[in-house]
Amino acid sequence: MVFSLPDGLPSGRFERRGPTEVWLCDELPDSVEELWAGLLRQASVTGLYPHLCRPDDHGRPENPAAADAVELEAVLEADFAAYRQKRLPYWSDPSTAELPEDTPEDVEPWPHDPGPPFSGWPGLAPAGPVGGAGPGPEEAAAHAVAELLCTDPYAASLTLALVPARLSADVPAVVGWDHGAPIPLLTALLRSWEDRFGARVVAAYGGELHVSVARPPLDPAHAERLALEHVLTTADNIVDDPPTPFPEYARELVGRTEWRFWWD
């Protein structure tokens, strides 16, 4: 045994991910939501984070310490300036919503995207509201996992892993998930979202990353600041597949307790 396992786990095995061993269950238990919340509550002591993944879906693990060197505000400010310069013609001209002449007839034109309402980097979004009767991060994550397993058509291919990590934000790097995502920047953002929004990484498989959120923004202006951070992850489901108009995407973040990112 590479590390001590918490009580109440189903049968499983250890597998190596680069320099790290992770534990994978043989079969998802029926009580995964209850188990998940308990494992997360123990994670600050055990150093083990529950994670949904495909057993054979991993590349080369990265050292999460690379995120330590990311100066988040400075990087996002520069990224937004470059992104704004590239996208400004599309945001300014509604005619760019038209599709090329050879597009199939059953494909609707993309809606016009006016872009974010910022001429410069507005700074990181403020932290989500604290207090109230809402669920904590552990319960929010457990609910997100249960919802994912009930609704995702690919859920049957997923397994429960326990991953040694400092934070749930570091898990994708530790297990070797990337699929085109900018891992050091994404890890730094995920860590910041853990602090500000009670976010937890719950799953990464294929090109998808799923994040639970205990303290989402509750007003549109707050959500707009957060939506810009989501855009700067470079996730294709937000910026390119097709691009969701920024105001629409920001509105959908108000009160949303599960975030999904997808890279092609």
Side-chain angles (χ1 to χ4, degrees), residues 85 91 184:
Q85 183 177 22
W91 295 338

Side-chain angles (χ1 to χ4, degrees), residues 177-198:
W177 178 88
D178 58 57
H179 289 271
I183 291 298
L185 172 60
L186 183 62
T187 301
L189 264 174
L190 290 167
R191 290 175 179 178
S192 182
W193 292 340
E194 284 204 21
D195 291 338
R196 286 181 286 145
F197 301 103

Side-chain angles (χ1 to χ4, degrees), residues 86-145:
K86 175 183 176 182
R87 292 282 177 168
L88 196 57
Y90 300 95
W91 295 338
S92 303
D93 184 1
S95 69
T96 59
E98 298 176 0
L99 292 173
E101 294 181 0
D102 58 352
T103 301
E105 293 183 0
D106 60 344
V107 175
E108 295 291 332
W110 289 351
H112 174 60
D113 183 4
F118 312 112
S119 58
W121 170 243
L124 293 172
V130 178
E138 295 83 6
E139 289 72 27
H143 177 75
V145 166

